[in-house]
Structure formats: C-alpha cells, structure tokens
C-alpha cells in the first residue's frame, strides 16, 4: 500500500503541469483590451469551453480540499466539514439550491447564478493563498493547486461574461458579497482556528464549484434537449 501511495504521488507530480495548461483561455479581448462578443467562436463552442473550465475547477478544488484535510485537519474534526454549508460566504446569494428550484429557473438566471458564485469567490481565494503561504509545511502541490484555481476562476468569469453577452444580449449583474465576506477575517486567529476556517473555506468553495458545473451543464442540456434535462 505504501508503494502504491508513493507511485500515485509521483504520477500526481508528473501530471500536474499538464493540468495547468489543458484549459483553453476563455477571455476574448479586442485591441483596446476590453471584452468583446468573441465573433470568432460560436456560442456552442464557448459554452463547451466554459463547462470545461468549470469541470476542472471543481476537480482541482476537490483535490485541494482532500489534500488540505489529510495534511492539517485532525481526524475528529473532519466531520465538521458537513456542517460548513451553513456558514458558507455565498449562503446569502439569491441562488436556487433544491433540484426543483434549479429546474424552474430561466437560462438567464442560470448564467447569472454562475457569475454571482464566481465573482463571490475571487477575493476569498486570493485571501486563502495568503493564509496558506503562512503554513510552515504546506506542500507546493497544495499552493499550486490553489493558485491555479484562483487564476482559472478569473478566466471562467471572463468566459461567463462573454457568454451572457452572446446568449442574452444584455449587461452584467455584479455583486459585492465577496468584499463583505472578507471583513470577518481581519483578526488573526489561533492556529487550529485558522486551519478550520481555511478548511471550511475550501469545503464551501468545492460545493459552490460543483454548483457552477451543474448549472452550466443544465444550460448546455437545455440548448440541445430542452424537455429531457434532469
């Protein structure tokens, strides 16, 4: 079993750089550097790229959460992750949570829900990078994964913005929830408290990353088979 773990670790290190470059950039900018409607790419292909980014972000967030848990969270406290949802920073956002609610919302609100989730997590993930840098024994793989997710989240935001312009032909709904949520982190906590706070943050982001992926895949389904999307 020990040999298997070693082999897995070696493969993870070797394959990680390929994951960093597998995503095709989502942003499409004109000569002035502003986001355009990306006339060179079809709406269908843009949606596929956005979904690919969301899938990878969720996968890497899941890996990061597991790695953090194994490295820093005492086993008796790991069950608290199941209680993290009640304290997630995006809880106050007007985003559907039940399956019936999700099925009933329009394409417009699916896209705007994804955008609100993305924008709400950009600053907390930057904050998380700074706190992980203070851990004496944080592995480079965890730091790299967190940095990668943070960068790709910005790319995902750009892709969703362009997608909204293409599909809905309208402006963008913005949110300032991320700025408000960071106020609770001004005071430096004790180490265990810091670990559990970062653990909750990673767990909440993983949950919301899965929502982003689910909403986008539902949107894709509606474009191809409107009446048979579960």
């Amino acid at each position: 079993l020990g040999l298997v773990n070693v082999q897995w670790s070696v493969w993870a290190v070797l394959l990680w750089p390929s994951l960093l470059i597998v995503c095709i950039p989502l942003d499409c900018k004109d000569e002035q550097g502003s986001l355009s409607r990306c006339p060179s790419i079809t709406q269908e292909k843009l949606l596929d790229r956005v979904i690919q980014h969301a899938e990878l972000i969720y996968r890497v967030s899941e890996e990061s959460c597991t790695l953090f848990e194994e490295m820093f969270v005492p086993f008796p406290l790991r069950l608290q992750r199941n209680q993290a949802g009640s304290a997630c920073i995006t809880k106050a956002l007007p985003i559907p949570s039940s399956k019936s609610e999700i099925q009933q919302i329009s394409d417009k609100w699916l896209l705007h829900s994804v955008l609100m989730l993305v924008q709400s997590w950009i600053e907390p993930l930057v904050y998380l990078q700074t706190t992980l840098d203070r851990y004496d024994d944080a592995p480079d793989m965890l730091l790299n994964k967190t940095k990668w997710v943070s960068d790709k989240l910005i790319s995902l935001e750009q892709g969703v913005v362009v997608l909204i312009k293409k599909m809905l032909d309208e402006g963008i709904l913005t949110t300032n929830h991320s700025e408000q949520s960071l106020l609770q982190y001004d005071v430096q906590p004790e180490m265990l408290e810091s670990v559990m706070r970062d653990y909750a943050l990673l767990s909440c982001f993983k949950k919301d990353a899965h929502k982003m992926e689910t909403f986008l895949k539902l949107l894709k389904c509606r474009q191809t088979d409107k009446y048979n999307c579960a």
Side-chain angles (χ1 to χ4, degrees), residues 23 44 52 65 78 88 103 110 115 117 130 158 163 187:
C23 279
E44 181 181 5
Q52 180 196 42
C65 193
R78 294 180 186 182
C88 287
Q103 293 294 331
L110 278 176
L115 186 61
L117 287 170
T130 62
Q158 294 170 339
L163 195 58
V187 179

Side-chain angles (χ1 to χ4, degrees), residues 3 7 18 32 37 39 69 79 81 104 118 123 127 132 157-158 165 182 188 190 192 196 207 210 212 215 217 228:
L3 179 59
Q7 290 175 334
S18 66
Q32 284 74 40
R37 295 179 186 272
E69 180 181 85
L79 294 177
R81 183 175 67 175
Q104 292 173 13
V118 170
E123 289 190 26
Y127 158 80
L132 290 180
E157 178 193 26
Q158 294 170 339
K165 289 181 178 180
L182 292 179
Q188 289 294 324
E190 296 296 329
L192 181 58
M196 296 309 297
K207 179 180 176 182
H210 187 252
M212 298 174 205
F215 289 175
K217 286 184 174 179
N228 292 291

Side-chain angles (χ1 to χ4, degrees), residues 117-130:
L117 287 170
V118 170
Q119 291 176 334
S120 295
W121 276 106
I122 288 175
E123 289 190 26
L125 287 185
V126 171
Y127 158 80
L128 184 61
Q129 290 179 61
T130 62

Side-chain angles (χ1 to χ4, degrees), residues 66-100:
T66 300
L67 184 58
F68 184 91
E69 180 181 85
E70 293 173 349
M71 288 288 301
F72 301 111
V73 182
F75 186 79
L77 298 179
R78 294 180 186 182
L79 294 177
Q80 291 187 17
R81 183 175 67 175
N82 297 327
Q83 304 170 1
S86 61
C88 287
I89 62 175
T90 54
K91 184 182 179 183
L93 293 178
I95 293 174
S97 55
S98 71
K99 185 175 181 179
S100 60

